[in-house]
Every structure is written in C-alpha cells, then in structure tokens.
Amino acid sequence: MKILVVEDDRTVGSYVQRGLEEHGFQTELVDDGMEALRLASGGRYDLLVLDLRLPGMTGLEVVRTLRDRGQTTPILVLTAQDAVDFKVEALRAGADDYVTKPFSFEELLARVEAIGRRPHQLSDRIVTVADLALNTATREVTRGGEQLELTPKEYTVLEYLVRHAGRVMSRTLITEYAWDYHFDPGTNIVDVVINRLRKKVDAGRKTKLLHTVRGVGYVVKA
C-alpha cells in the first residue's frame, strides 16, 4: 500500500509517516493542500491520510475536488476537528473514515489496514441489475440509458448492493463497507441514503429495484 500523508504539523506528520513505514507501508509526506491535490490527482496512491486545516487549500476542499474529478482513492481524515458536524460534512464530501486528534496510533493503523482490505480493484467494469448499470471505472450510473447523478456515498452504497444483488444486506454491513465506521446503533444514516437512492433509481419507474426487508436490511433485485 502506498500512502500520501497530508499534514501541516511536521511533528505529527513525521510521527504518522514513521509509524506507517515501520508497519511496511510506503509513504510520502506533504504539508500543503494544493500539493496534496496535485499528487493525489495522479491516482498513484492507495490511501490519503488527510488533515483538514491546511495551507493552500483546506482538506475538505481537497476531498471535494478529488471526488468531483472522479478520483476514488480512499481518504482517511485525521484532524483535531472533533465536532459531529465536521465529521458528517467530511464523510458526505467523500471521505471514507475520520480519526480525531489526539489519537492512538494503534487505532489509526487499524483503520488504515481495514481500508486496505477493501476490494479496490474490481474484476467487472460494468455491473448490472435489470436496466440499471454501474461503470466501476468511471463511477457512472445509468438506468434505462438515463444517467443518474449520485453523491459519492450514494454510489458506494448502491454499488455494494448491486454487487450483492439478490442478497439481503444488513444496515451494519452497509455501514461498515460504505463508511468503515461503527455509528451508534440508533443512527438512520443508511436509511437516509437508501431513501435518496430510491428517489433517483426507482421514482417514476414501474419496476422497483431497491427493496426493504423489514428488520433485516436492504436488497437490490428486479
């Protein structure tokens, strides 16, 4: 795994870089948002560990710009911004995980390793269910030939369900895949995303593809 660490505090950045390298990861360290965007846009990294408060361009702007460009490299935010609103904003912008400072390196390492276990290289470029098609290379989604505009998280959840078409996936499994984060059991984050997907994928169509299995989870099937 090749990791780009983006941190303007050189002490913290060097600590993270050294710790990751001691566990066998290749790392590069930069301290500027614009430089991080330039390097990350090339798609040569397997993961970004990204601070939010950066000179040149904020970490949140880096996340949004990369996702707007279709760049799917996983992003783990590492920041002192511990308010729930900041976490939600970063995750909705396209971040894959969020660790707050001060942090335990063991937790950071565990989250890096968890992201590394995800299947980033998928064998099929186009996956389909009925007239719904997902291009995993470009992240374009169409239904009946009509392009659907999805947010990064909507796409991730939909792709997960389409990859497991016909199987009921629990809210917990969907959450762990899409966010790699254990939200409180009472959260409705998955339900919110599913409801938004229904409006974009199924609304106005005779055949519904997104189904709820009460008390269990969700399934995509024709």
Side-chain angles (χ1 to χ4, degrees):
M1 240 179 126
K2 190 170 184 179
I3 300 174
L4 179 64
V5 179
V6 189
E7 171 62 66
D8 66 333
D9 185 323
R10 300 299 293 188
T11 300
V12 174
S14 296
Y15 169 70
V16 172
Q17 181 182 32
R18 183 172 62 253
L20 291 173
E21 288 179 345
E22 287 175 354
H23 285 81
F25 297 102
Q26 300 178 50
T27 66
E28 289 185 38
L29 175 63
V30 297
D31 59 4
D32 178 88
M34 291 295 292
E35 180 66 5
L37 179 63
R38 184 186 70 82
L39 292 173
S41 294
R44 54 178 173 165
Y45 298 97
D46 301 300
L47 172 68
L48 269 65
V49 176
L50 180 71
D51 190 14
L52 290 185
R53 290 181 174 175
L54 296 167
M57 174 183 276
T58 69
L60 198 57
E61 290 171 332
V62 172
V63 174
R64 285 176 175 153
T65 304
L66 287 173
R67 295 308 186 229
D68 287 345
R69 293 177 178 177
Q71 177 58 255
T72 60
T73 302
I75 300 173
L76 188 157
V77 168
L78 178 63
T79 181
Q81 302 278 11
D82 60 355
V84 171
D85 288 349
F86 281 107
K87 294 181 181 180
V88 171
E89 188 174 13
L91 292 168
R92 285 178 174 169
D96 295 86
D97 205 350
Y98 197 109
V99 176
T100 56
K101 303 172 185 174
F103 63 95
S104 158
F105 182 78
E106 287 74 17
E107 180 188 2
L108 177 65
L109 178 63
R111 291 180 182 273
V112 168
E113 291 173 338
I115 289 174
R117 288 194 294 270
R118 293 184 184 179
H120 302 307
Q121 298 299 325
L122 301 171
S123 56
D124 298 324
R125 188 167 177 263
I126 306 292
V127 288
T128 62
V129 175
D131 60 346
L132 176 70
L134 282 74
N135 185 319
T136 60
T138 64
R139 295 171 72 90
E140 292 179 345
V141 180
T142 61
R143 178 143 194 213
E146 175 188 348
Q147 187 163 335
L148 308 181
E149 297 296 331
L150 305 183
T151 66
K153 285 303 177 195
E154 289 168 356
Y155 174 87
T156 300
V157 171
L158 183 62
E159 182 188 318
Y160 184 64
L161 292 173
V162 169
R163 287 272 175 191
H164 298 86
R167 291 177 55 190
V168 181
M169 310 309 292
S170 70
R171 289 176 177 82
T172 299
L173 286 175
I174 295 169
T175 300
E176 290 180 352
Y177 179 82
W179 286 272
D180 191 27
Y181 192 93
H182 297 279
F183 286 98
D184 293 335
T187 185
N188 68 341
I189 187 68
V190 174
D191 303 312
V192 169
V193 172
I194 292 292
N195 285 337
R196 293 205 305 254
L197 281 172
R198 280 202 171 102
K199 293 176 183 178
K200 296 180 180 182
V201 174
D202 283 343
R205 301 179 188 272
K206 182 177 180 180
T207 302
K208 309 300 182 185
L209 299 180
L210 280 160
H211 304 275
T212 301
V213 178
R214 191 174 299 277
V216 183
Y218 298 99
V219 59
V220 164
K221 63 180 180 179

